[in-house]
Amino acid sequence: NAGVTQTPKFQVLKTGQSMTLQCAQDMNHEYMSWYRQDPGMGLRLIHYSVGAGITDQGEVPNGYNVSRSTTEDFPLRLLSAAPSQTSVYFCASSYGGGYTFGSGTRLTVV
Amino acid sequence: QQPVQSPQAVILREGEDAVINCSSSKALYSVHWYRQKHGEAPVFLMILLKGGEQKGHEKISASFNEKKQQSSLYLTASQLSYSGTYFCGTEAPNSGYALNFGKGTSLLVTP
């Protein structure tokens, strides 16, 4: 099992560009979440999903969209990148116990 | 709303004990604890469900008082490998199993 796979690992965007951060899990987990991690701020919840076709907003959803068309995939879209979105992004999944995190995507917006 | 963790940072000598606290202003269904090493992803340590149970993982244990909406992580006889940042994640009822994490507690164990 690969667990939770995030791509890309690193990305540099120009202000105003859009992109999709990919997240895939092969554990048949129903629950998936996206977090951003900034120095001194901990992990902040962006969006989450309780199953295919069902998503909801977290604490900091502005500027991000998600969809969950399959159990395995939960992509995060940045609509128009801003420097404030420079961060490390983690995707995580769970069956209802502890969450398994992906290795993260380090995004820099210039 | 993010739960509040204390202390923000702690330095221990190998073999010493530490307690990390997590409190929430909201009613909780469960509390998770994770450890993150520098440059790596958070790793799940344990989950405590509503009911005030205490769980253990090696020499690391935790308690959950749902009436006070508080949890504590106990690290006994600390080892160098315990160094890292510890996060509590709280689950509120009807939250879709999504967790809100605290800002973390940085733990450094020295020889």
Side-chain angles (χ1 to χ4, degrees):
Chain A
N1 285 351
V4 179
T5 302
Q6 290 186 239
T7 57
K9 292 191 183 302
F10 302 93
Q11 183 71 47
V12 178
L13 285 181
K14 293 183 178 180
T15 298
Q17 287 185 318
S18 62
M19 79 160 294
T20 299
L21 307 185
Q22 301 292 343
C23 174
Q25 52 93 5
D26 60 359
M27 299 173 284
N28 202 33
H29 287 172
E30 288 298 315
Y31 304 103
M32 297 187 74
S33 300
W34 275 103
Y35 293 90
R36 60 176 291 173
Q37 185 171 36
D38 303 294
M41 297 298 294
L43 295 152
R44 290 185 292 170
L45 180 66
I46 306 172
H47 285 284
Y48 64 96
S49 170
V50 299
I54 307 170
T55 64
D56 206 343
Q57 297 180 351
E59 181 187 1
V60 289
N62 292 342
Y64 307 95
N65 274 354
V66 291
S67 60
R68 184 101 180 266
S69 56
T70 67
T71 298
E72 294 78 20
D73 300 301
F74 191 41
L76 178 72
R77 282 182 286 278
L78 281 72
L79 309 174
S80 178
S84 60
Q85 294 179 303
T86 293
S87 188
V88 178
Y89 291 85
F90 286 103
C91 176
S93 74
S94 174
Y95 61 90
Y99 272 88
T100 300
F101 281 77
S103 57
T105 295
R106 184 174 294 274
L107 176 69
T108 302
V109 183
V110 298
Chain B
Q1 289 84 352
Q2 287 185 291
V4 177
Q5 285 186 235
S6 63
Q8 288 185 318
V10 59
I11 300 175
L12 298 174
R13 289 192 180 272
E14 207 172 0
E16 292 182 336
D17 302 340
V19 180
I20 299 172
N21 300 303
C22 175
S23 65
S24 173
S25 59
K26 298 172 64 173
L28 300 177
Y29 182 74
S30 72
V31 178
H32 295 218
W33 286 96
Y34 293 77
R35 177 170 61 207
Q36 184 178 31
K37 303 272 187 179
H38 183 68
E40 300 180 5
V43 174
F44 171 70
L45 293 176
M46 66 188 74
I47 180 174
L48 299 106
L49 302 176
K50 188 176 177 180
E53 65 180 289
Q54 187 159 348
K55 301 192 77 172
H57 176 82
E58 297 177 344
K59 294 181 182 177
I60 300 174
S61 62
S63 62
F64 175 31
N65 185 329
E66 74 264 25
K67 290 184 180 179
K68 293 186 177 180
Q69 290 127 227
Q70 293 175 347
S71 179
S72 294
L73 185 71
Y74 308 95
L75 300 99
T76 58
S78 59
Q79 306 169 13
L80 296 177
S81 61
Y82 286 2
S83 293
T85 301
Y86 289 79
F87 293 98
C88 69
T90 57
E91 177 202 359
N94 303 313
S95 66
Y97 205 69
L99 300 182
N100 283 298
F101 284 92
K103 293 185 178 180
T105 295
S106 176
L107 178 75
L108 176 63
V109 181
T110 63

